[in-house]
Amino acid sequence: FMSFQTPITISDAIEKIDSNQFLLPAIQREFIWNHSKIEWLFDSIMRNYPISSFLFWKVEETTSKGYRFYKFINEYRERYKTHNEEISTNGISSFNAVLDGQQRLTSLYLGLKGSFGYKEYRRKWEDTEWSIPTRHLYLNITTELQDEEDGRIYEFSFLEKSETEESEIYEANEQKWFKVGAILNYTEDEAFDEFVEEFESSFSRKAIRQLRRTIMEKPIINYFLEKDQSLDKALNIFIRINSGGEPLNFSDLLMSIAVANWTKKDARKEIHKLVDSIRDKGFSISKDLILKSFLYLYSRDIKFRVTNFSKGNAKDFETEWEKIRDSILSTFDLIKTFGFTDYTLTSKNSVIPIIYYLYHKNIYRDYSTKIEFKEDRESIKKWLHIVLIKRIFGGTSDSVLSQIRRTFTDNVVEMKIKPEITSFPVNSIFNHIRKDTSVGDEFIEEVLFTQKDNQYAFSILSLLYPDLDYRNNNFHKDHIHSAFEFNNLEASDKESYGWHTYNSIYNLQMLDANENMSKSNMNLLDWVEKETNENNRTQFLNAHLIPDVDLNLNEYGNFHEKRKALLLDKMKTLLSEKTVSV
């Protein structure tokens, strides 16, 4: 049923996208190419390089009613506008669904008819023109590129709309740029010839002529057309094609199966909405985590294999969706109350056992605020910091996750939590993890060398200073001997310890905002004398894990050795698996 068709031009393909003759089936992943890959593609087609064939599925009107289809995206904004818009196919007698070639076709469409916004370096993530300027694709018609490492000859670049004002020709720094999409305006040979002759440079004339030939004259879109109306067959072809070359990862395939088998809801829309909601809480996750969580909740085998995502459990996924979604949201609400950020949550997989616990215990509603769960939350917080510091979720995440799940249930068919589990089973989890999680002095010393801005510093300091108001983000990392005093160290101390030690946990503490403001850049001795008297000095030093020694800067060596012993002892206790319970 699949046959090779007469090739078409890029401009024909663009027209078919515009008129909804080319659509994307719900099984397709979203667009993921970056701007340089699109620019590279345009250079390739300008140089007559083949861009591989495409595979389309001809969908008749009667077939289309049972499935979802999407338009091509034409205004891409990194992180903020990445989702394709669903389209009703009512009234469209037949159309071609793209099974292979979506990334290339979307790239061509964005370059010729759309815009591509990506974040400016060192600007924060926010949906504004300042951070993510709208850009259109332009071709440098001044000169060809020379000796490029990647072999490009034609310089294509997405230029900011605010600079170019979307004009057909843009000039800056003695460079002349032609807006690529404007070539579609020159359908008439005579008008095009008149336009080209206005350019003095022979390279300009050559480049623009080659662009028109490439886009409007050469039939370079070669494609196969599958006419069988069975979705199962289309899905099977799709999976086979995308398992070679640059494959979709398994989560894309799992998403495909879920999307194709959900009947009442749109799986893609629901999962993306959840990813966006979690991003709004400050954590960037991908759909992989959602799908992995589902497998963890419902599948014996949690590996990303197509066989683990049958039609049957895709239906379970839809039936249980609201509860799964709310459990995941509740878990990230909880993580946020612990003071974590996207940077300091060093393993996203570490939250999956928490999702499992809240979901199967059916306690996910308002879990992060209810007083009855206060102690349970403290246990989870301490456990999470420990597993992150110990890097439990490394390259063998799946096996560690499976071992942890055996703590909760003996029944991997129904997944019911053992009735005796009334709180998060911290110690049982450590007993079930077969990975070597023991800690010796060498490991702890390495942990204590963690630098102030390292992503693990938060977990280490949170364990050492558990009583701050992490829920309201009221905590600050602070150098005990202040940072600006490093240059005042005795020469021998500076040589012995160096900034790497001075800037590590050995000389760091966690303070609340008021304490931090009150301490500011005071030297340690003055600060302690200001905050204490003879009655509370010992308590104050203990609370801040400061040794009771001479706190003058010129005694830094002694301070360091005594604090090192104090922290080694404390961390050994904290990281010991037998003392994890709160």
Side-chain angles (χ1 to χ4, degrees):
F1 235 141
M2 190 162 67
S3 58
F4 201 62
Q5 304 293 301
T6 306
I8 61 174
T9 64
I10 289 173
S11 59
D12 287 337
I14 297 301
E15 208 172 287
K16 287 181 186 297
I17 291 171
D18 265 343
S19 60
N20 300 324
Q21 286 300 299
F22 284 177
L23 294 174
L24 298 167
I27 54 178
Q28 273 285 14
R29 60 178 165 179
E30 295 202 309
F31 183 66
I32 57 167
W33 278 19
N34 62 24
H35 67 92
S36 56
K37 207 161 180 183
I38 301 173
E39 293 157 1
W40 208 51
L41 174 69
F42 273 85
D43 174 71
S44 295
I45 59 176
M46 283 281 278
R47 294 164 67 189
N48 303 315
Y49 290 173
I51 57 167
S52 300
S53 55
F54 295 77
L55 173 61
F56 302 148
W57 173 35
K58 184 166 184 174
V59 183
E60 304 291 350
E61 190 172 6
T62 49
T63 306
S64 69
K65 285 176 182 165
Y67 309 113
R68 291 191 169 88
F69 295 91
Y70 295 81
K71 290 182 177 184
F72 280 76
I73 194 164
N74 68 346
E75 291 176 359
Y76 182 92
R77 290 178 70 69
E78 189 180 9
R79 192 182 273 198
Y80 294 100
K81 199 166 184 185
T82 60
H83 306 325
N84 298 75
E85 182 189 336
E86 190 177 352
I87 181 174
S88 166
T89 54
N90 292 338
I92 305 178
S93 57
S94 71
F95 57 88
N96 287 346
V98 180
L99 293 183
D100 185 40
Q102 184 229 162
Q103 302 293 325
R104 286 167 288 155
L105 275 178
T106 301
S107 296
L108 293 170
Y109 190 49
L110 288 171
L112 286 158
K113 276 289 188 87
S115 60
F116 191 100
Y118 59 89
K119 189 173 82 68
E120 277 289 307
Y121 182 57
R122 286 192 169 164
R123 290 188 190 163
K124 62 182 178 182
W125 281 109
E126 60 180 19
D127 192 8
T128 62
E129 283 295 319
W130 167 251
S131 293
I132 305 173
T134 300
R135 304 165 196 263
H136 294 103
L137 188 64
Y138 280 76
L139 167 62
N140 186 340
I141 55 172
T142 313
T143 179
E144 66 180 38
L145 295 168
Q146 301 289 335
D147 304 321
E148 289 294 299
E149 277 185 28
D150 58 10
R152 284 180 304 135
I153 288 177
Y154 294 98
E155 184 179 7
F156 286 90
S157 185
F158 280 98
L159 304 182
E160 289 186 31
K161 173 180 161 186
S162 57
E163 289 178 357
T164 64
E165 297 173 345
E166 299 186 64
S167 53
E168 205 168 87
I169 303 290
Y170 168 64
E171 295 187 49
N173 304 322
E174 298 181 6
Q175 299 286 311
K176 201 173 273 191
W177 297 83
F178 176 70
K179 189 177 183 189
V180 174
I183 204 69
L184 296 172
N185 300 330
Y186 294 99
T187 52
E188 301 296 325
D189 292 348
E190 199 173 317
F192 178 67
D193 287 338
E194 279 179 26
F195 169 67
V196 172
E197 289 308 318
E198 290 175 15
F199 292 97
E200 293 175 13
S201 156
S202 62
F203 177 75
S204 297
R205 295 194 297 272
K206 173 192 161 191
I208 294 174
R209 283 203 172 100
Q210 177 63 358
L211 180 64
R212 186 171 185 263
R213 270 196 299 274
T214 302
I215 302 300
M216 302 175 75
E217 295 173 10
K218 292 183 178 177
I220 61 176
I221 304 287
N222 294 288
Y223 66 99
F224 290 92
L225 189 65
E226 172 57 54
K227 295 178 182 173
D228 194 310
Q229 295 302 291
S230 158
L231 177 71
D232 280 347
K233 184 173 181 188
L235 185 63
N236 197 21
I237 292 167
F238 176 74
I239 287 171
R240 287 187 183 211
I241 280 175
N242 286 291
S243 296
E246 187 184 303
L248 287 102
N249 58 38
F250 275 114
S251 72
D252 289 307
L253 299 181
L254 302 188
M255 177 87 113
S256 305
I257 297 164
V259 165
N261 287 293
W262 281 26
T263 55
K264 294 182 181 138
K265 299 182 193 73
D266 179 342
R268 178 198 286 234
K269 193 181 284 179
E270 290 289 332
I271 290 169
H272 286 314
K273 202 156 75 178
L274 177 54
V275 168
D276 291 347
S277 297
I278 291 166
R279 187 197 67 213
D280 292 343
K281 295 178 189 298
F283 299 95
S284 62
I285 65 160
S286 68
K287 64 185 179 307
D288 296 40
L289 189 80
I290 312 293
L291 292 159
K292 174 68 79 180
S293 297
F294 170 69
L295 290 175
Y296 200 65
L297 294 172
Y298 273 93
S299 172
R300 281 189 216 192
D301 186 352
I302 63 169
K303 285 190 169 57
F304 273 166
R305 292 186 180 130
V306 176
T307 49
N308 289 340
F309 222 90
S310 63
K311 280 186 182 179
N313 64 12
K315 286 193 169 50
D316 284 340
F317 198 6
E318 181 177 23
T319 307
E320 297 296 320
W321 170 248
E322 277 86 0
K323 188 177 170 187
I324 293 168
R325 176 198 64 205
D326 292 349
S327 299
I328 295 172
L329 284 169
S330 181
T331 299
F332 278 95
D333 282 334
L334 178 68
I335 301 299
K336 195 166 183 179
T337 69
F338 295 163
F340 280 99
T341 64
D342 196 47
Y343 181 65
T344 55
L345 184 62
T346 49
S347 164
K348 299 294 190 323
N349 279 340
S350 64
V351 306
I352 293 177
I354 304 170
I355 293 168
Y356 185 95
Y357 172 68
L358 298 187
Y359 176 87
H360 282 299
K361 287 288 287 181
N362 206 21
I363 54 174
Y364 54 87
R365 284 188 186 85
D366 303 319
Y367 179 81
S368 60
T369 54
K370 283 185 178 169
I371 291 169
E372 65 185 287
F373 298 125
K374 186 170 185 288
E375 279 191 24
D376 206 23
R377 290 194 296 268
E378 287 302 314
S379 288
I380 292 175
K381 178 166 76 173
K382 196 167 181 182
W383 171 83
L384 185 56
H385 285 310
I386 289 169
V387 295
L388 292 177
I389 292 167
K390 287 184 172 185
R391 322 247 173 133
I392 299 288
F393 296 92
T396 54
S397 264
D398 280 352
S399 62
V400 169
L401 282 167
S402 294
Q403 289 161 22
I404 291 173
R405 193 170 62 178
R406 283 197 282 278
T407 302
F408 293 107
T409 183
D410 296 322
N411 185 344
V412 290
V413 178
E414 293 179 12
M415 298 294 177
K416 286 180 182 167
I417 286 189
K418 298 171 190 170
E420 64 268 24
I421 293 178
T422 54
S423 58
F424 193 75
V426 172
N427 289 317
S428 300
I429 288 174
F430 283 121
N431 290 336
H432 273 79
I433 295 174
R434 289 195 295 271
K435 191 173 177 179
D436 180 19
T437 59
S438 57
V439 291
D441 286 2
E442 199 177 311
F443 173 79
I444 294 175
E445 282 187 35
E446 193 181 322
V447 163
L448 294 174
F449 263 117
T450 301
Q451 298 294 289
K452 182 173 185 263
D453 292 325
N454 181 285
Q455 59 191 138
Y456 288 92
F458 169 71
S459 279
I460 299 162
L461 289 168
S462 296
L463 265 188
L464 291 168
Y465 298 90
D467 299 325
L468 294 177
D469 184 4
Y470 293 101
R471 176 182 291 275
N472 294 307
N473 218 29
N474 185 15
F475 59 89
H476 295 260
K477 286 180 283 187
D478 172 71
H479 287 97
I480 296 180
H481 280 289
S482 66
F484 85 99
E485 281 202 298
F486 175 71
N487 287 327
N488 300 331
L489 275 178
E490 300 278 333
S492 58
D493 284 340
K494 198 184 278 192
E495 193 178 328
S496 297
Y497 300 104
W499 175 250
H500 187 71
T501 302
Y502 199 85
N503 190 47
S504 72
I505 305 294
Y506 288 120
N507 186 40
L508 293 175
Q509 63 183 339
M510 204 82 99
L511 298 177
D512 70 35
N514 289 335
E515 271 193 308
N516 196 41
M517 211 176 293
S518 141
K519 180 172 184 275
S520 190
N521 281 328
M522 287 176 75
N523 70 53
L524 178 58
L525 183 61
D526 289 347
W527 178 60
V528 170
E529 286 185 354
K530 175 187 160 197
E531 297 292 332
T532 63
N533 54 47
E534 57 186 40
N535 297 321
N536 70 357
R537 179 183 164 90
T538 302
Q539 183 190 350
F540 180 87
L541 293 175
N542 288 345
H544 291 81
L545 302 177
I546 297 171
D548 193 357
V549 294
D550 187 338
L551 300 178
N552 270 302
L553 188 67
N554 59 13
E555 289 294 324
Y556 180 79
N558 186 42
F559 162 84
H560 171 81
E561 295 307 324
K562 290 288 191 291
R563 189 160 200 258
K564 178 179 175 179
L566 189 156
L567 291 181
L568 271 169
D569 190 49
K570 178 93 175 168
M571 286 300 287
K572 205 177 291 184
T573 304
L574 286 166
L575 296 179
S576 161
E577 290 159 14
K578 294 182 175 61
T579 59
V580 171
S581 54
V582 173

